Amino acid sequence: MSVVRSTPLRPVQSLGRWGVESLEAMGRFALFLGEAVVWTFIPPLKVSQFYRRVHFIGVRSLSVILLTGAFTGMVLGLQTFLTLSRFGSEALLGPAVALSLVREMGPVFTALMVTGRTGSALTAEIGIMRITEQIDAIQVMGLNPMRYLIVPILLAGVATFPLLTAIFDVVGILGGYLVGVQIMGLSSGTYFGEMRTFVSLDDITTGLWKSFAFGVVVTWACSYKGYYTAQGTVGVSRATTEAVVLSSVLILVWDYFMGSVLP
Amino acid sequence: MIEVIDLCKSFNGQPVLKGLTLSIAAGELLVIIGRSGGGKSVLLKHLIGLFRPDSGQVLINGVDLPGLRGRALDDLRTKFGVVFQGNALFDSVSVFDNVAFPLREKTRLPPDVIHARVEERLEQVGLAGAGHKFPAELSGGMRKRVAIARALVTEPEIVFLDEPTTGLDPILCTTIHHLIRDLHRKLHFTAVMASHEIPDIFEIAHRVAMLHDGVIVEAASPEIIQASANPVVRQFIQGETEGPIQVT
Ligand SMILES: Nc1ncnc2c1ncn2[C@@H]1O[C@H](COP(=O)(O)OP(=O)(O)O)[C@@H](O)[C@H]1O
Ligand SMILES: [Mg+2]
């Protein structure tokens, strides 16, 4: 540590340390998921904890999903209508709105909204369990915190995200309908009929895969940050902020990645 | 029963334990005294396997604790009962469920047996009928008693208590001390307790060990400790500001 003393080399040293520390953190982050996945397949599953987390993620996020879904659909309906009408192809409003929602905006916005609404709360809850030694208490009882705490959260993420995304999509499409049909005067048959022609099963499965993946990403990032919270209330507030940032960045990066791989 | 040999532990280059050696006999009630921040909690966390030593050994019934992992470690830990400094009660479930938790998760006892055991322990700590409450609704002294009930519900061989009376008023303090003493007499476990309640602990301890500057400077019966010639021990139990212990 004290080998480098001269000033010119100090930036190099701190860069090196930063590199090593980042690599270490990434390794720990990856191992955390690995361990959780292994414990997922070792019975018994803590069913009551799983239900509790489904409730925690699903029910708490529902209102915000309904609200943002509706407005996203309406904005999308308006903007797309205005664009399409320049080419005289307003008839394609339905599929345009539906495709944007199903492939892209539904999964991404749902994941971002859940991160803000419940991901942060999840981090805070686990972080407080960490600093009040509740996680240590589970461990010294000879039990595994992964099984009791983390696995139910990950599984609840996988179970709820596709459903929340589907709700977001449906509400969004209805929002687009409201603007396109009720306000702009497109016919209802055109809106839904063209949708049936242009939206394929591939689009729906793409959205579904994305939402599964985001369910893992969000719960993984948020529970990881809570699990490794530093001591003190400052530790919890920092962990919460970092969880939201990490989760949001991962959602967007992973969305691009999946978008270029999936059909 | 418990052997700590030459235990060293540093945090970020700052040594906390510096070659600590201590042995604890089966069935005794040992109290570790020492200044706040002196490393009592760190020592206890090594004894329950939450920290790994930088060097040195921790032997429980002759088994090297830091060398254990997975199932073997979990099995050994079922012999432990731990009362954490901050209680570490699960705040999302009721008092009853807190106390029942280790039984439900670690044993195959039928629900009615578990129910009876939990009620018995709650009664022993003076909390009969408080099972439906949540930890947040309780006072500090009651929470501590729930933590003690939870630590004892599995009938552990060794019970670790980290400052069980710090922050409680003098009357509660004595109540908790008497509770620990009575339960210890009744249940015959080995108890390791960190505390700096001088002189209360002299009444209940079989043996007192003074932790200072990363080592045990003296471990002996309360009578011998109270009459100790060691200047560090004398200064600590008399609470003087002048002496070998630097007040910072
Ligand atoms: N997890 C940890 N990381 C870094 N330092 C720690 C940790 N736990 C304890 N310490 C340090 O070890 C020293 C002893 O602390 P502790 O054992 O809690 O004292 P006490 O005797 O009051 O229980 C303190 O200086 C504390 O800062
Ligand atoms: Mg302590």
Side-chain angles (χ1 to χ4, degrees), chain B residues 1-195:
Chain B
M1 162 131 262
I2 304 177
E3 292 277 354
V4 182
I5 304 162
D6 212 16
L7 181 63
C8 294
K9 181 72 177 182
S10 309
F11 291 104
N12 312 316
Q14 196 72 34
V16 175
L17 302 180
K18 307 173 185 173
L20 184 147
T21 297
L22 175 68
S23 71
I24 301 160
E28 83 170 329
L29 199 168
L30 176 91
V31 177
I32 299 164
I33 58 173
R35 296 195 63 194
S36 298
K40 300 184 294 296
S41 299
V42 171
L43 173 59
L44 286 182
K45 284 184 179 171
H46 278 89
L47 299 183
I48 55 182
L50 285 177
F51 284 161
R52 278 174 193 283
D54 295 340
S55 67
Q57 283 181 296
V58 177
L59 304 174
I60 310 267
N61 295 331
V63 179
D64 183 48
L65 180 68
L68 296 180
R69 279 170 202 279
R71 177 63 60 84
L73 179 59
D74 287 346
D75 285 348
L76 182 60
R77 276 171 165 166
T78 56
K79 298 190 170 114
F80 296 169
V82 183
V83 179
F84 285 89
Q85 194 163 347
N87 300 325
L89 298 178
F90 304 126
D91 37 29
S92 57
V93 299
S94 70
V95 165
F96 185 94
D97 290 339
N98 260 284
V99 180
F101 187 81
L103 288 180
R104 285 184 184 146
E105 301 300 335
K106 289 304 282 190
T107 68
R108 294 183 181 282
L109 296 173
D112 51 327
V113 177
I114 291 180
H115 189 90
R117 267 250 226 133
V118 173
E119 290 296 342
E120 183 194 342
R121 282 288 180 273
L122 283 176
E123 202 185 310
Q124 280 171 337
V125 299
L127 285 176
H132 62 279
K133 294 201 170 145
F134 279 77
E137 301 170 332
L138 303 179
S139 69
M142 289 163 93
R143 259 180 256 165
K144 187 59 76 184
R145 286 189 243 180
V146 177
I148 293 173
R150 186 178 70 180
L152 295 179
V153 78
T154 52
E155 305 186 341
E157 275 179 43
I158 315 171
V159 179
F160 301 90
L161 303 111
D162 195 352
E163 301 194 15
T165 54
T166 301
L168 301 182
D169 70 54
I171 298 171
L172 268 176
C173 220
T174 314
T175 319
I176 298 282
H177 281 143
H178 287 175
L179 176 67
I180 292 168
R181 185 186 58 194
D182 296 344
L183 289 170
H184 179 257
R185 280 187 191 148
K186 202 176 297 171
L187 304 171
H188 311 293
F189 47 80
T190 307
V192 187
M193 175 169 140
S195 179

Side-chain angles (χ1 to χ4, degrees), chain A residues 77-123:
Chain A
L78 184 62
Q79 292 304 326
T80 315
F81 185 88
L82 294 177
T83 311
L84 287 175
S85 60
R86 293 196 189 177
F87 314 113
S89 33
E90 302 94 312
L92 295 178
L93 180 68
V97 167
L99 281 175
S100 311
L101 279 169
V102 169
R103 293 186 60 99
E104 215 39 69
M105 298 182 121
V108 172
F109 276 33
T110 303
L112 291 175
M113 286 302 147
V114 177
T115 298
R117 181 70 181 87
T118 36
S120 53
L122 213 54
T123 308

